[in-house]
Amino acid sequence: MKVILLGPPGAGKGTQAARIAEKLQVTRAASGDLFRGNIRNNTELGRLAKSYMDRGVLVPDDVTIRLVMDWLDSPEQSKGFVLDGFPRTLGQAEALDRVLVDKGGINRVMYINVPEAELIRRLAGRYICRICQTPYHESFSPPRQAGICDKCGGEVYQRDDDKAEVVGKRLEVFFKETEPLVDYYRLAGNLKEINGEGTIEDVGNALIAALE
Ligand code: ADP
Ligand code: ADP
Ligand code: ZN
């Protein structure tokens, strides 16, 4: 099973990806997590990606496609995968289609739709784990112990690009560059639209139901 989670920043992709991957018994990758891992290790790729991420714009396609294709290349991913945050441009979607052409292509694209005002509430209160990148929310999904990740004990922090100044730009970039993918996958016939406004539990159940 090969699944894409598509949706604006704050829609709940990261929150739901872990649950779906577990349910389907496949691995998952989040392009944003891969970039932040590189930033944390201070790699050349990390330094390049940071210069775009801090401004709320997309990392160029050539760099992003190479990063995700390297991840997809490993034998672990042959059973299937959940992709969170990739593709985000038509160029990325086409590149993904090309590499999967002999592997049956993508099975499902889950578009998690959430109104803009709610996205802003979610992003403003988001904190993530510095180590495993699990997302939390100060009101909607706080860690059991303030400031500490439930899963790994890592420190939770606010992403630089979740500050109000950058969030507006990221939403603008989503509508311009990523939203066209909704029609791209609708035409391809594998799009499922999910109302992402309910509780984390409700949205998770709707996603699992739509995958079955
Ligand atoms: P969100 O939680 O808002 O969906 P991500 O963690 O997925 O954010 O992405 C954070 C940033 O990383 C993006 O604003 C962008 O700069 C970069 N990024 C992540 N995925 C991609 C991608 N597929 N293409 C280009 N840039 C990306
Ligand atoms: P994305 O990966 O799409 O950017 P996240 O999964 O990181 O989104 O979620 C964004 C923020 O909203 C996080 O703080 C998360 O805890 C919170 N969140 C996710 N889903 C819901 C939901 N259904 N209701 C309320 N808050 C949510
Ligand atoms: Zn953690």
Side-chain angles (χ1 to χ4, degrees):
M1 191 75 165
K2 300 193 239 16
V3 177
I4 291 172
L5 294 184
L6 184 63
K13 302 180 298 296
T15 300
Q16 302 296 345
R19 181 170 168 169
I20 293 174
E22 195 182 329
K23 177 86 183 171
L24 299 175
Q25 294 282 298
V26 296
T27 50
R28 74 187 156 100
S31 40
D33 288 356
L34 296 174
F35 285 132
R36 278 182 295 274
N38 274 278
I39 292 173
R40 194 159 166 257
N41 295 328
N42 196 20
T43 66
E44 194 183 327
L45 171 67
R47 286 191 295 275
L48 176 77
K50 189 174 181 346
S51 67
Y52 294 94
M53 291 166 79
D54 283 351
R55 285 183 283 137
V57 299
L58 297 181
V59 179
D61 271 0
D62 56 340
V63 178
T64 306
I65 291 169
R66 210 174 326 123
L67 176 78
V68 176
M69 294 312 160
D70 282 350
W71 180 85
L72 275 176
D73 243 357
S74 80
E76 237 188 305
Q77 272 61 264
S78 59
K79 283 196 297 171
F81 52 76
V82 176
L83 279 180
D84 156 9
F86 182 94
R88 262 180 155 99
T89 64
L90 281 170
Q92 292 175 16
E94 287 162 0
L96 184 62
D97 282 348
R98 279 195 296 276
V99 299
L100 295 177
V101 76
D102 302 326
K103 298 173 183 155
I106 291 292
N107 303 98
R108 288 268 204 293
V109 179
M110 315 303 281
Y111 172 45
I112 311 180
N113 199 355
V114 175
E116 203 169 329
E118 174 66 13
L119 296 173
I120 291 168
R121 263 194 297 279
R122 290 188 187 176
L123 294 170
R126 171 161 69 182
Y127 288 81
I128 73 166
C129 173
R130 217 176 266 290
I131 297 170
C132 72
Q133 309 210 32
T134 295
Y136 295 94
H137 190 281
E138 61 185 6
S139 330
F140 308 140
S141 174
R144 283 193 293 270
Q145 209 182 329
I148 296 172
C149 176
D150 293 350
K151 299 223 170 100
C152 77
E155 178 205 359
V156 302
Y157 76 105
Q158 185 184 35
R159 283 168 42 178
D160 285 339
D161 60 345
D162 277 346
K163 304 206 164 120
E165 315 85 81
V166 190
V167 161
K169 181 69 193 174
R170 285 166 58 211
L171 290 171
E172 184 191 316
V173 166
F174 169 80
F175 289 114
K176 184 155 166 270
E177 301 195 48
T178 308
E179 205 185 30
L181 295 185
V182 173
D183 279 338
Y184 177 87
Y185 287 117
R186 190 178 281 132
L187 272 173
N190 47 15
L191 188 85
K192 292 260 185 184
E193 185 163 345
I194 302 291
N195 177 356
E197 267 185 285
T199 63
I200 291 176
E201 196 63 24
D202 290 343
V203 177
N205 291 338
L207 281 164
I208 301 286
L211 281 167
E212 275 161 3

